[in-house]
Amino acid sequence: MKEQKWIQEGLITESLPNGMFRIRLDNDDLILGYVSGKIRRSFIRILPGDRVKIEVSRYDSTRGRIIYRLRNKDSKD
């Protein structure tokens, strides 16, 4: 059986080396996130201030995988 994952939304607060980001989730938890393969392959730019969807493992809730960058209303992308 495959491992169950939680999908949550959050805000990128800080960009770290090697494609890692500090993310503040909507429930005010701070989490360490890394870019998933599809986002890395399609060269989607993630910057501090972006809202993202993140996939969090039930076993380690301190890190997760960024699976989607949500569109901002004020940016032109």
Side-chain angles (χ1 to χ4, degrees), residues 43-76:
F43 299 108
I44 294 176
R45 200 119 178 116
I46 297 178
L47 299 169
D50 286 346
R51 289 197 52 79
V52 293
K53 274 189 186 176
I54 187 165
E55 192 177 69
V56 181
S57 168
R58 293 182 189 252
Y59 299 114
D60 186 8
S61 60
T62 62
R63 45 185 25 219
R65 187 168 67 145
I66 298 170
I67 55 172
Y68 191 76
R69 189 190 82 190
L70 299 169
R71 291 195 178 273
N72 296 340
K73 277 93 179 158
D74 54 338
S75 70
K76 298 172 180 68

Side-chain angles (χ1 to χ4, degrees), residues 28-44:
D28 283 340
D29 286 346
L30 271 177
I31 192 171
L32 194 65
Y34 59 93
V35 180
S36 75
K38 280 187 179 176
I39 292 182
R40 194 181 299 259
R41 200 166 50 234
S42 49
F43 299 108
I44 294 176

Side-chain angles (χ1 to χ4, degrees), residues 5-20:
K5 305 233 191 281
W6 288 312
I7 295 182
Q8 298 184 333
E9 289 186 15
L11 184 74
I12 304 278
T13 58
E14 185 182 358
S15 179
L16 302 170
N18 294 337
M20 304 283 274

